[in-house]
Amino acid sequence: MAPVPSIPKAAFWMALSIASFLAMSVAGRATTAELNVFQVLELRSVIGFFILLPLVMTNGGFAAMRTERPLAHLARNVVHYAGQAAWLYALTLIPLAVLISIEFTTPIWTAILAVSFLGEKLSRLRLAAIVLGLVGVVIIVRPGVGSVDPGHLVVLGAAVCFGISVVMVKSLTRTDSVVRIIFWMLIIQSVLGLIPALYVWRNPPVELWPWILLVAFTGMSSHFCMARALAHADATVVSPMDFLRVPLSALIGWLLYHEQIDAFTAGGALLILLGNLLNLQRKPPRAAEVAAS
């Protein structure tokens, strides 16, 4: 049985997803300072698989993980793996708040692809939420003020990959459970990253293992919660909620890495918050819709 559409439930799962993504940002910066990006991705997938196993066993075991859409899972994870590699690499190049801000071109691609391929409707409220969020991001990044950092272009490429991935996940939630989607994500990405990881492998220092475990857990939990949110609401509703990561990442960057928050960042964050509040509004159903329900 498909989950009942519910914006409050989608918002709850997105809050958990955002918390996981923020924790993964901090852990990712700590691990990529010592290890190659491909090794970090491989450790994340392999350890994440064992973390997921209890959920697999309580949801029917390995037999329940069979899917009728293997090619869709493969395509989604090839794109997502490329996006994750680019994102982690950019994490070593530019400030956290700037990285997250540029990443939030993702809803543009998500909205366009969801409308084009999933048949979702882009209402005026949803469009306004996306526009406000993107204006807020532009205010924070202020493109054209200085030279373009290569890290900016790397994150932009990651954002395109993430937009494609979000739409594919939404499509997969129509036929596959969330646990099954995450199961195949960890399996496929472990295989994809094995050879690159072995090529650059070095034994992690003992003090780095807590960060590695945190990357693995949040790498799994962030996508599990995202998929649960997408099961309760359209991608055009869920994706703008994620804009809240911009001001929150700026706060973390200030607290942990002494990255400054200026008036532009604060103003952009307010617009992003306004866009999210607008996105959560729902019009009352028309009489005809009530009668038909």
Side-chain angles (χ1 to χ4, degrees), residues 99-185:
L99 179 145
I100 301 296
S101 298
I102 298 175
E103 179 193 341
F104 276 96
T105 56
T106 296
I108 295 177
W109 310 110
T110 300
I112 293 172
L113 292 167
V115 172
S116 302
F117 296 103
L118 298 181
E120 294 186 6
K121 295 181 180 180
L122 190 60
S123 67
R124 291 181 180 179
L125 285 177
R126 293 180 184 177
L127 182 59
I130 291 172
V131 170
L132 281 173
L134 291 174
V135 170
V137 169
V138 170
I139 290 174
I140 292 172
V141 177
R142 301 189 299 283
V145 173
S147 59
V148 177
D149 191 296
H152 297 173
L153 299 179
V154 174
V155 180
L156 185 60
V160 175
C161 291
F162 291 154
I164 297 171
S165 177
V166 168
V167 173
M168 288 182 167
V169 169
K170 176 60 181 179
S171 175
L172 285 168
T173 60
R174 294 175 175 176
T175 57
D176 288 1
S177 70
V178 171
V179 174
R180 187 184 297 163
I181 292 170
I182 304 303
F183 174 85
W184 285 110
M185 180 189 82

Side-chain angles (χ1 to χ4, degrees), residues 207-223:
E207 63 272 14
L208 199 61
W209 276 103
W211 291 115
I212 292 172
L213 293 174
L214 184 58
V215 166
F217 178 79
T218 55
M220 182 273 295
S221 63
S222 59
H223 294 285

